[in-house]
Amino acid sequence: MYLTWMRAGTERLLEIVDGLEEPRFAEPSPLPGWTIGHLVAHLHFNARALGRLASWAATGVETPMYDGAGQREQEISAGATLRPVVLKGLVRESAAELDGLLSALTDEQWSSSVVTAQGRTVSAEEIPWLRVREVVVHGADLDGDTWAQWPEELLRALVVEIVEQRFARGQAAALAGVLTGRSPAPLPPWL
Ligand SMILES: O=C(O)/C=C/C(=O)CC(=O)C(=O)O
């Protein structure tokens, strides 16, 4: 299921990224401090990072998503300076690499454990879900009209996870206001 959603989400994301005109890469994205270029660079390096988790599951050799706290930020900042045509190619390439690595996992490897960048120990089966969140949510950042195209089951899984995490972040009251349609409380971006 997750792999199917990942493939559908990736296909849509690549369409959106391919359709971005060059000047848009320098424009602000909905994420504080990030341009569209930063966002596209993040999507590329996130595929690479999740690919390292897939390699970990395949080999048993610990290969974390990022080497230390600064790597993610440094990669994104450097990536955002690349020419849009280069970034577009990289996003496509790393998405295909991630798909290839995941497709090669055996049943036993899928059930092995890996550790995410947030320190969560998860089954490798969760790797495609981590990518679904990225391509679906950031796809909406790049082209806001994408939500209605996703299956209800995917949206339910996403919303349940967001609700749990927002509660954990102390945002219960703001969330209740938004979900009851009573207050347009400003909530910071979830992802
Ligand atoms: O949900 C988690 O445990 C980890 C999520 C991330 O590391 C987010 C990314 O995938 C990323 O920032 O590249």
Side-chain angles (χ1 to χ4, degrees), residues 47-124:
R48 286 267 166 87
L50 293 175
R52 286 190 278 277
L53 291 191
S55 299
W56 180 344
T59 63
V61 177
E62 281 189 30
T63 40
M65 292 178 68
Y66 303 102
D67 274 336
Q71 183 191 350
R72 180 177 177 278
E73 283 68 27
Q74 281 163 16
E75 282 182 341
I76 294 169
S77 299
T81 67
L82 295 172
R83 289 169 50 221
V85 66
V86 175
L87 261 182
K88 286 183 182 186
L90 287 173
V91 169
R92 184 168 287 280
E93 195 180 287
S94 53
E97 279 167 13
L98 175 61
D99 196 310
L101 287 164
L102 291 171
S103 301
L105 294 181
T106 63
D107 287 350
E108 193 184 350
Q109 291 165 346
W110 275 117
S111 58
S112 64
S113 294
V114 295
V115 182
T116 72
Q118 289 181 11
R120 290 189 308 126
T121 299
V122 298
S123 155

Side-chain angles (χ1 to χ4, degrees), residues 34 42 45-47 49-50 53 65-66 72 76 115-122 126 130-131 133-134 138 161 165 190-191:
W34 276 12
H42 163 57
F45 288 111
N46 169 261
L50 293 175
L53 291 191
M65 292 178 68
Y66 303 102
R72 180 177 177 278
I76 294 169
V115 182
T116 72
Q118 289 181 11
R120 290 189 308 126
T121 299
V122 298
E126 222 179 285
L130 294 177
R131 185 62 176 169
R133 301 182 336 179
E134 300 290 332
H138 293 316
E161 184 165 334
Q165 290 193 8
W190 168 69
L191 191 71

